Amino acid sequence: ACSKRGGAVPAGKSGIAPWIPVVGLEIHAQISSNSKLFSGSQVQFAAPPNSLVSFFDASLPGTLPVLNRRCVEAAVMTGLALNCSINKKSLFDRKHYFYADLPAGYQITQQRVPIAVNGSLSYSLCIDNKMSQMVTKTVRIKQIQLEQDSGKSLHDDTRCQTLVDLNRAGVGLMEVVMEPDMCCGEEAAAAVRELQLILQTLGSSQAVMAEGQLRVDANVSVHHPGEPYGVRTEVKNINSIRFLAKAVDYEIERQIEELENGGTILNETRAFDSKLGCTVPMRDKEGKQDYRFMPEPNLPPLILYDTKSLPANMNHQQVINIDWIQERLPDLPSVKREKLVEQYGILPEHSFTLLNEDGLAEFFESVVKQTQMKPKKVIGWILNDLLSYLKQHSLTVKESPVSPFLLADLLNLLEKKEISSTAAKQVLAELWKGEGKTPLEIVKEQKLELLWDQKELEQICQAVIDGQENE
Amino acid sequence: AALKDGLRSQVSAALKEGRVTPTELCQRCLALIKSTKFLNAYITVAEETALKQAEESEERYKRGQPLGILDGIPIAVKDNFNTAGIETTCASNMLKGYVSPYNATVVQKLLDHGAVLLGKTNLDEFAMGSGSTDGAFGPVRNPWSYSKQYKEKSVPKSHSKDEESEWVITGGSSGGSAAAVSSFTCFAALGSDTGGSTRNPAAHCGVVGLKPTYGLISRHGLIPLVNSMDVPGILTRCVDDAAVLLGSLAGHDPKDSTTIQDDFKPFELPNLTDVSKLSIGIPKEYHAPGLSSEILALWSKAADLFKNAGAKVVEVSLPHTRYSIVCYHVLCTAEVASNMARFDGLEYGHRSDVRDSTESMYAATRREGFNDVVRGRILSGNYFLLKQNYEKYFVKAQKVRRLIANDFGKVFRSGVDVLLTPTTLSDAAPYTEFIQEDNRTRSAQDDILTQAANMAGLPAINVPTALSERGLPIGLQFIGRSFQEKQLLTVAKWFEKQVQFPVIQLEEVKRHDSGVFQHQKSASFS
């Protein structure tokens, strides 16, 4: 793995020159839309097999693609959020290969001129696993292209047959290509995590990896400083961000070991085996495939406009105005974080954690609104107590038995010095049970009130001392 | 009403006035189809559904609410258009038995206008060919082979050879549709035109064949050969009828992203009398090698006809014409290779019994399902699309295509309204002679005069002009400006009136068409 943020891995066992790992990513994000990229059939996860297949999706002869406006908007939004240049004219192409889940024998994609190019993505990492020191890195975005998803094929070895489900065939994808600016699994994971947050904020993709809405392929190679890049391998079949980091790091180590033992790296595709924690060569992909790219003749060039170039008499339903979309972009995660830091005086690393957990930032802000406790103190309760409890019990913020109202209520008691912080933690533990009691009720029940009356305190102390004497 | 009547002038009126009913019309056509079965023009005859449609049409006429001129009119459709519930085969083993769940847009439009769909017509497999001889259901015979005009002129052969073997081809690939219209089994038919596939058989069968501007009529549901050149074609017995069909078919289709957005207004053709404002261009490159002296003479005569009537007739040049065949070959095969990739036996169509692996199933399915012509084009196309060849062939061909289109643009900008050219190099060849050369060679030869219009996306029409020395039809072609079908058809109609192409004299038709007035006889052009 990367060490010291320098990017180079120290010398291997044989003590030769350090290795520089190079990691690039190809990310496929399923577009969040009602219907598919070129046809009107519905987009839905886990529907009965072949229940969402239009004539076009099944490649019935004579059917033609019709471009889905929403998918184009999603791609433009994403391109703008990633600081890309949006190509006002982009083209569609056919990429040919034969496979059971590709009914037409070709995929419609954008190989020659994609919809967006030359962007960048900033992401942050913590050094040495502590949340105290964060460093910001940038990865260049080569391009974003619109393309069709394929169907799914399930191999049934017992009956020697392949089952094909075309529900997913034709769903819109945005392929985001990240240049090889990363150097280890952690960087790759952080970059993808940030992309995921951006996509979710935009709404252009729900980007849930577990549901196949975000798929990542990693391109990995190693070389010595000053030498040309090494042969790269492509690692596929990565099902979570955690596994992404593992897969990349494993592959880097594997390549280093191979090369140091005098071997060579094959330009091949490998699959990540999550059970074994290693990459293995993939059976089907042998040699370089010639996809015989050809322009898609049934789709005219995609023309996008901005306010300057928008013709006066255009039917608004037929055009997309890039400036209009730009103006309506929501605050991206980086902006949101800045605002949180500025508004509430919390630390940058706090803002990362808040945004990293779905709903946590909203929870925090809601509590802050309802309590007199300063945000700088509230944040501790959110990140340490609430979050760790949720993690322990594998709950999402939405599923929290303690609502912002309840927590705010509790924190107010603490702030008013009606209870001690130790007592507060005790109350919180009780609140987790979700029995519907208010913090005040619990305090009274367990007699956790702080006493401020001097006389009362003296009486209690005296009673204790007296009690001691009797023993 | 006579089966030979024009739609607008006579049949429609007859239907409206009740002199003939849609059912009668339909029955007569169906009977004629049966008695001309030897032409092999139809792959599927949809008798039941046709009669039902005729019945429904009759109801509408009774209520005095016909849907329009096409209501109750029997139509045939080339078998590469999707027709819901009726087999669509493309004359290929790959789609034998394939029943599509949807109608092509043009088919739907015809049905919405009340037309009666008689059946699906024969073609070269997947529309690849210029003879309608290379389909899985056998070749189509030109009705003129059995005409009095041809039989009178044909040199008597030795007794052992019967007339069977001397039948001539229809041309292609929309031969079935052309034969169907020519033999009066329907009033109009849909064809397709990629390199001349509507105009070529129209010329050989003595009917009007219209290739509209690319983007005017929807291709949704037309099983594609070359997506960037295909258009649905219209075959009728007179130019007015072609205008009627065009009016019901043209216009933007949201399902076809290559159709233009502009509104289309159906038009009636004026009866042009004054051609003095017209400028006719004669492209010298269309005096192609192999052009028969007969057709050359006819072409010249036609030019004179315009000149004598006061039109401006000028020689023009389309310098890149001679590259169009090679260019077409590259682009066509490349698109074919791509379009045919979907035929893998998985979702529909033929599937081989070979099951060892998916790949072997694909390979066997495609070997069994496609004929040599299709497979040959797929292989060529894939070759041109290989990464190392793409620039050299495909991109180069696209550039040459641009040059060919520019040639036309230049000529039309110089003031020429319409171009006049031959449609074919000669009249229809006997089948036995035609099959001496392979499909590729024939296509390369026969497409030369029609192909460039597809490259440039321009509208073009074949108008039957005169009979050859062998008693077979010869047609001439008019090529117009983009989306100027009205002007093109107006000129074509004027020319049609001047030449008075003779009516085919078929025994079978005489028998079925008893007792009513015939289309007026007129002096033949030559």
Side-chain angles (χ1 to χ4, degrees):
Chain A
C2 289
S3 70
K4 304 292 182 275
R5 296 291 136 242
V9 178
K13 43 191 187 190
S14 46
I16 49 177
W19 291 101
I20 302 183
V22 174
V23 180
L25 298 175
E26 272 163 34
I27 299 157
H28 289 90
Q30 247 186 28
I31 298 174
S32 175
S33 61
N34 291 328
S35 52
K36 297 184 180 179
L37 183 56
F38 296 117
S39 72
S41 41
Q42 212 193 333
V43 177
Q44 196 192 310
F45 183 66
N50 293 314
S51 60
L52 305 171
V53 185
S54 68
F55 298 152
F56 173 78
D57 302 332
S59 79
L60 293 196
T63 52
L64 299 169
V66 180
L67 185 54
N68 178 337
R69 185 206 172 91
R70 157 68 189 164
C71 293
V72 178
E73 288 172 349
V76 172
M77 273 198 285
T78 308
L80 291 171
L82 294 177
N83 306 304
C84 295
S85 307
I86 306 295
N87 281 328
K88 294 225 187 76
K89 177 173 168 184
S90 62
L91 306 170
F92 290 99
D93 304 289
R94 293 183 181 181
K95 177 180 181 182
H96 301 85
Y97 61 94
F98 286 98
Y99 206 71
D101 61 18
L102 196 67
Y106 58 84
Q107 174 202 38
I108 301 180
T109 177
Q110 293 189 299
Q111 189 244 3
R112 286 169 296 156
V113 185
I115 192 167
V117 290
N118 296 338
S120 64
L121 169 70
S122 292
Y123 60 96
S124 293
L125 297 173
C126 22
I127 304 178
D128 299 334
N129 274 329
K130 292 188 200 138
M131 285 303 285
S132 50
Q133 262 188 298
M134 301 210 80
V135 65
T136 305
K137 301 215 122 192
T138 310
V139 58
R140 290 168 298 158
I141 304 290
K142 179 164 183 235
Q143 64 187 53
I144 301 176
Q145 65 201 55
L146 282 167
E147 57 185 38
Q148 294 174 301
D149 208 344
S150 64
K152 281 204 187 126
S153 54
L154 303 143
H155 300 289
D156 178 1
D157 290 318
T158 41
R159 290 192 202 85
C160 286
Q161 60 182 9
T162 302
L163 305 167
V164 182
D165 176 14
L166 296 180
N167 282 349
R168 201 184 64 178
V171 171
L173 293 176
M174 293 177 286
E175 179 176 326
V176 179
V177 182
M178 292 187 180
E179 300 275 28
D181 296 340
M182 296 159 282
C183 68
C184 63
E186 201 187 343
E187 289 194 354
V192 171
R193 179 65 186 129
E194 187 67 7
L195 176 66
Q196 196 178 38
L197 288 173
I198 292 174
L199 293 172
Q200 288 166 350
T201 303
L202 292 173
S204 57
S205 170
Q206 283 162 43
V208 175
M209 272 180 98
E211 288 184 10
Q213 292 162 340
L214 193 71
R215 283 168 248 154
V216 183
D217 299 334
N219 293 313
V220 180
S221 73
V222 296
H223 65 278
H224 289 305
E227 284 180 13
Y229 280 19
V231 174
R232 68 161 196 240
T233 61
E234 190 187 8
V235 182
K236 291 175 107 72
N237 196 39
I238 300 165
N239 298 327
S240 73
I241 294 187
R242 208 165 51 89
F243 286 152
L244 170 61
K246 277 203 163 113
V248 167
D249 289 336
Y250 173 86
E251 182 59 18
I252 291 171
E253 271 187 51
R254 185 193 75 86
Q255 289 194 11
I256 290 175
E257 209 183 301
E258 183 71 34
L259 291 170
E260 288 191 340
N261 286 334
T264 51
I265 304 300
L266 294 172
N267 176 212
E268 60 176 351
T269 305
R270 300 175 71 86
F272 179 65
D273 185 325
S274 51
K275 289 203 185 87
L276 300 174
C278 65
T279 64
V280 293
M282 276 178 87
R283 250 181 320 115
D284 281 343
K285 314 255 172 166
E286 337 147 355
K288 277 267 174 195
Q289 263 215 317
D290 191 327
Y291 293 110
R292 290 167 279 122
F293 286 98
M294 186 186 90
E296 169 55 68
N298 293 315
L299 292 169
L302 173 59
I303 309 289
L304 303 173
Y305 298 91
D306 55 27
T307 316
K308 239 194 279 176
S309 65
L310 193 62
N313 301 324
M314 272 286 194
N315 176 2
H316 284 276
Q317 290 211 314
Q318 289 296 319
V319 298
I320 286 180
N321 183 342
I322 300 168
D323 289 336
W324 194 89
I325 294 177
Q326 173 87 68
E327 283 159 22
R328 282 158 187 75
L329 285 181
D331 278 345
L332 293 183
S334 52
V335 173
K336 277 193 199 166
R337 287 186 204 113
E338 272 174 35
K339 283 191 175 170
L340 285 171
V341 168
E342 210 190 291
Q343 193 174 354
Y344 301 111
I346 57 177
L347 295 175
E349 30 295 15
H350 293 162
S351 69
F352 269 91
T353 316
L354 280 181
L355 252 57
N356 222 29
E357 209 58 45
D358 194 23
L360 193 60
E362 288 76 19
F363 194 103
F364 166 71
E365 290 192 283
S366 181
V367 172
V368 164
K369 275 206 189 79
Q370 300 178 76
T371 180
Q372 297 107 339
M373 182 181 282
K374 288 221 169 63
K376 272 191 192 164
K377 281 175 82 177
V378 174
I379 193 75
W381 287 91
I382 298 288
L383 296 182
N384 298 329
D385 299 88
L386 178 77
L387 193 57
S388 57
Y389 179 83
L390 292 175
K391 290 284 173 215
Q392 253 180 18
H393 297 259
S394 298
L395 294 172
T396 62
V397 173
K398 282 197 187 76
E399 295 164 340
S400 168
V402 177
S403 67
F405 175 77
L406 280 180
L407 183 57
D409 207 13
L410 173 62
L411 295 181
N412 281 339
L413 290 177
L414 181 56
E415 194 64 8
K416 284 188 271 186
K417 298 203 193 330
E418 286 183 31
I419 54 176
S420 68
S421 62
T422 322
K425 287 200 201 279
Q426 235 178 291
V427 175
L428 190 54
E430 192 64 30
L431 283 172
W432 289 131
K433 293 183 188 162
E435 286 165 3
K437 299 185 201 154
T438 68
L440 197 58
E441 281 166 4
I442 298 171
V443 165
K444 290 230 162 73
E445 247 176 53
Q446 300 192 13
K447 298 208 193 341
L448 294 170
E449 309 91 319
L450 273 179
L451 295 171
W452 292 99
D453 189 315
Q454 187 83 1
K455 280 215 186 92
E456 236 185 304
L457 281 170
E458 279 179 7
Q459 276 177 1
I460 293 172
C461 292
Q462 192 61 53
V464 172
I465 294 168
D466 293 342
Q468 288 283 28
E469 282 176 357
N470 290 342
E471 274 166 27
Chain B
L3 289 168
K4 302 174 186 177
D5 292 340
L7 291 168
R8 194 177 269 283
S9 51
Q10 277 130 353
V11 176
S12 268
L15 282 171
K16 240 181 169 166
E17 292 158 22
R19 282 183 277 133
V20 69
T21 66
T23 315
E24 280 169 352
L25 215 51
C26 181
Q27 281 166 342
R28 270 195 237 174
C29 286
L30 289 171
L32 191 55
I33 291 174
K34 285 202 182 89
S35 61
T36 54
K37 207 159 175 202
F38 55 88
L39 294 177
N40 202 21
Y42 288 81
I43 293 177
T44 304
V45 180
E47 184 159 338
E48 252 182 67
T49 52
L51 286 169
K52 186 151 178 286
Q53 286 160 5
E55 243 179 73
E56 287 163 8
S57 170
E58 202 158 309
E59 283 303 306
R60 291 191 290 268
Y61 274 105
K62 279 199 187 125
R63 290 199 306 269
Q65 293 170 336
L67 294 167
I69 295 182
L70 287 177
D71 204 333
I73 301 294
I75 305 266
V77 170
K78 186 175 180 183
D79 207 11
N80 58 354
F81 286 92
N82 278 270
T83 45
I86 300 171
E87 206 172 317
T88 301
T89 68
C90 294
S92 175
N93 284 323
M94 190 59 91
L95 290 177
K96 253 190 197 159
Y98 173 70
V99 179
S100 168
Y102 75 100
N103 279 325
T105 296
V106 290
V107 170
Q108 190 60 54
K109 284 188 168 185
L110 288 176
L111 294 174
D112 290 343
H113 279 87
V116 172
L117 180 51
L118 291 173
K120 310 296 289 298
T121 57
N122 205 350
L123 60 154
D124 284 302
E125 181 161 336
F126 279 110
M128 299 184 204
S130 58
S132 303
T133 51
D134 284 327
F137 298 98
V140 184
R141 300 185 182 200
N142 192 329
W144 284 84
S145 317
Y146 305 94
S147 69
K148 191 164 169 217
Q149 289 105 327
Y150 178 62
K151 287 192 218 171
E152 275 171 1
K153 296 285 180 71
S154 56
V155 179
K157 301 276 180 191
S158 61
H159 295 294
S160 53
K161 253 197 175 167
D162 66 332
E163 93 184 345
E164 278 295 295
S165 58
E166 284 313 303
W167 59 267
V168 300
I169 58 164
T170 52
S173 63
S174 311
S177 282
V181 173
S182 171
S183 60
F184 301 96
T185 59
C186 62
F187 282 82
L190 289 186
S192 65
D193 196 310
T194 308
S197 289
T198 290
R199 293 161 284 157
N200 174 296
H204 286 317
C205 293
V207 298
V208 171
L210 170 62
K211 174 213 169 295
T213 311
Y214 182 88
L216 184 61
I217 299 186
S218 172
R219 290 181 298 112
H220 168 76
L222 166 60
I223 298 174
L225 173 57
V226 183
N227 285 289
S228 61
M229 297 186 207
D230 289 351
V231 292
I234 294 169
L235 294 132
T236 56
R237 287 194 284 276
C238 66
V239 177
D240 269 333
D241 289 353
V244 170
L245 263 290
L246 183 68
S248 66
L249 295 178
H252 176 64
D253 182 8
K255 294 189 186 129
D256 178 351
S257 307
T258 60
T259 52
I260 52 161
Q261 307 270 344
D262 306 0
D263 283 327
F264 174 81
K265 289 190 184 61
F267 49 79
E268 249 188 65
L269 293 176
N271 271 313
L272 191 64
T273 43
D274 175 21
V275 295
S276 58
K277 295 198 187 66
L278 211 54
S279 172
I280 307 289
I282 309 288
K284 61 182 188 196
E285 291 83 3
Y286 278 61
H287 184 355
L291 187 64
S292 80
S293 47
E294 216 178 8
I295 295 191
L296 182 61
L298 202 62
W299 184 22
S300 186
K301 218 167 171 177
D304 288 341
L305 188 72
F306 277 99
K307 211 183 296 179
N308 295 338
K312 186 169 164 216
V313 178
V314 287
E315 190 190 73
V316 295
S317 175
L318 300 169
H320 296 92
T321 303
R322 63 196 167 113
Y323 303 120
S324 74
I325 286 297
V326 166
C327 178
Y328 176 70
H329 187 75
V330 172
L331 297 177
C332 171
T333 53
E335 284 219 32
V336 164
S338 178
N339 292 333
M340 297 295 143
R342 66 187 58 209
F343 296 104
D344 53 18
L346 272 186
E347 299 88 8
Y348 48 79
H350 172 67
R351 185 195 283 209
S352 169
D353 288 329
V354 173
R355 298 292 170 90
D356 310 337
S357 68
T358 315
E359 278 75 23
S360 60
M361 191 271 279
Y362 282 175
T365 295
R366 291 161 71 79
R367 189 184 355 106
E368 293 163 17
F370 292 138
N371 71 2
D372 283 355
V373 179
V374 177
R375 285 185 292 141
R377 293 199 193 189
I378 293 172
L379 290 170
S380 300
N382 278 326
Y383 176 77
F384 295 134
L385 290 177
L386 287 176
K387 207 165 171 183
Q388 71 253 34
N389 293 333
Y390 184 73
E391 286 284 326
K392 275 192 291 187
Y393 293 99
F394 190 87
V395 176
K396 270 272 157 62
Q398 292 278 48
K399 292 180 177 175
V400 173
R401 181 178 180 176
R402 166 81 51 204
L403 293 178
I404 292 170
N406 286 348
D407 280 356
F408 284 101
K410 232 182 266 170
V411 162
F412 285 127
R413 272 193 303 275
S414 72
V416 167
D417 297 308
V418 157
L419 298 169
L420 168 63
T421 80
T423 312
T424 54
L425 295 174
S426 66
D427 57 4
Y431 175 70
T432 47
E433 189 186 300
F434 184 78
I435 55 173
Q436 298 287 329
E437 297 276 12
D438 64 61
N439 182 294
R440 168 144 155 52
T441 310
R442 285 296 181 210
S443 297
Q445 293 165 344
D446 300 332
D447 287 347
I448 185 104
L449 300 168
T450 47
Q451 210 292 299
N454 297 85
M455 289 285 208
L458 297 171
I461 186 169
N462 171 76
V463 180
T465 308
L467 294 183
S468 68
E469 272 167 22
R470 289 162 65 215
L472 294 172
I474 299 177
L476 291 178
Q477 171 179 239
F478 293 93
I479 304 175
R481 298 167 194 233
S482 263
F483 302 106
Q484 300 304 313
E485 270 79 355
K486 186 168 179 188
Q487 179 181 57
L488 177 68
L489 291 172
T490 302
V491 174
K493 180 174 166 177
W494 180 87
F495 183 71
E496 175 189 61
K497 195 158 173 212
Q498 306 307 309
V499 301
Q500 302 275 309
F501 182 79
V503 178
I504 185 176
Q505 284 160 30
L506 278 178
E507 273 306 313
E508 289 70 18
V509 179
K510 267 220 184 87
R511 265 183 267 129
H512 287 269
D513 201 29
S514 55
V516 201
F517 65 89
Q518 288 208 341
H519 198 72
Q520 52 183 344
K521 284 248 160 94
S522 33
S524 57
F525 183 59
S526 61

